[in-house]
Amino acid sequence: MKFIRYSDSAGRISYGAEQASGPALRIDGDIFGDYKVTTAPADVKKLLAPLVPTQILGVGLNYRHHAQESGMKAPEIPVLFAKGVNTLQNPGDAIEIPTHLASAEVDYECELAVVIGRACKNVTKANALDYVLGLTCANDVSARDWQIKKGGGQWCRGKFFDTFCPLGPRLVTLDEVPGPNLLKIATHLNGETVQDWTTSDMIFDVATLIEFLSGSTTLVPGTVILTGTPHGVGMAAKPTPRWLKAGDEVTIEIEGIGRLTNRVTLEK
Ligand code: ZN
């Protein structure tokens, strides 16, 4: 199944199911509970992020080559941080560079986002994927100045600003892809490909992350897990870092899921 979430011409918000051909069909109900795919075409006025997360968990330094470019040792235990649900942004809407808590070092990170469909706790790697509703693209936008120098020694401040977690364009169930760790993943900045790698480079694969994150911890339905970014972030660009600026357009692309595009503006 390929789920979308959208607002229609009357302003109502619904889920839809994309079809192999023809328009998406409207879904009645809740994709985290009972739902039915109707025969009515989805009246998509505006595409929204494919869910409203109940929480957003991030994992840092989870790709071997990215840990190297960051000058960090590959972690032995997953590095966990959180992003607020305030960070959610829709496909096509703007990433805002903070101006009140001003940042001069806003960066992109293409990430495979894993959406938990059923509550789980203390799961093992072997059955972890049973609790996954699907996958989508994420941009783990990060203000490096607030993440590293001004954030009190931990990452949350720099990753917690409004609009810093675009998700979309669709939520794809696992039966539609070869596997969560067998996907090409890329970032295109103003049309130039700046990250171009594969999810097979993850240090901790998706099943291992769910086993770890669910340890003594309930992962509630609607939990989004950001699984880390490959090398090629703007912070590590040579000879000088490549920070996002107003007017830029950034696209995250994952094989089998699609393209998530957002432009960049300044916080008003
Ligand atoms: Zn990240």
Side-chain angles (χ1 to χ4, degrees), residues 59 81 109 111 140 142 159 228-229:
V59 177
F81 64 89
E109 294 189 349
E111 306 214 3
D140 176 20
S142 304
K159 288 178 175 279
T229 197

Side-chain angles (χ1 to χ4, degrees), residues 22-231:
L25 300 177
R26 196 186 72 229
I27 286 176
D28 284 345
D30 176 9
I31 63 170
F32 292 93
D34 287 335
Y35 69 88
K36 193 174 108 227
V37 180
T38 70
T39 55
D43 169 26
V44 182
K45 184 82 189 297
K46 177 178 168 55
L47 196 63
L48 303 174
L51 78 158
V52 177
T54 50
Q55 61 174 345
I56 303 171
L57 304 179
V59 177
L61 298 172
N62 196 33
Y63 281 76
R64 290 176 184 85
H65 284 63
H66 173 59
Q68 281 165 15
E69 77 173 350
S70 306
M72 314 278 267
K73 243 181 72 204
E76 286 166 19
I77 296 172
V79 178
L80 172 63
F81 64 89
K83 285 173 93 89
V85 291
N86 63 294
T87 61
L88 182 68
Q89 187 55 299
N90 298 312
D93 284 347
I95 295 165
E96 294 184 9
I97 294 175
T99 55
H100 185 80
L101 281 189
S103 172
E105 299 185 353
V106 175
D107 206 349
Y108 53 81
E109 294 189 349
C110 59
E111 306 214 3
L112 177 71
V114 176
V115 176
I116 298 293
R118 286 190 294 135
C120 62
K121 182 175 180 179
N122 296 334
V123 302
T124 63
K125 240 189 326 194
N127 65 2
L129 297 183
D130 296 347
Y131 298 93
V132 172
L133 177 61
L135 308 172
T136 190
C137 303
N139 191 344
D140 176 20
V141 181
S142 304
R144 303 298 186 195
D145 35 13
W146 288 101
Q147 180 189 348
I148 297 165
K149 295 180 220 111
K150 301 196 274 189
Q154 43 93 3
W155 292 1
C156 284
R157 178 64 283 178
K159 288 178 175 279
F160 227 99
F161 295 115
D162 285 356
T163 74
F164 270 29
C165 191
L167 292 178
R170 59 183 60 80
L171 179 61
V172 176
T173 51
L174 291 178
D175 57 306
E176 301 267 4
V177 295
N181 287 101
L182 294 169
L183 303 174
K184 293 199 192 89
I185 182 167
T187 300
H188 312 287
L189 177 60
N190 302 323
E192 180 193 350
T193 300
V194 289
Q195 293 185 282
D196 188 9
W197 205 233
T198 159
T199 59
S200 63
D201 188 40
M202 283 186 198
I203 295 168
F204 304 102
D205 68 12
V206 168
T208 304
L209 288 176
I210 294 169
E211 179 181 78
F212 175 74
L213 294 171
S214 71
S216 302
T217 304
T218 302
L219 300 181
V220 296
T223 295
V224 171
I225 302 170
L226 306 182
T227 55
T229 197
H231 61 286

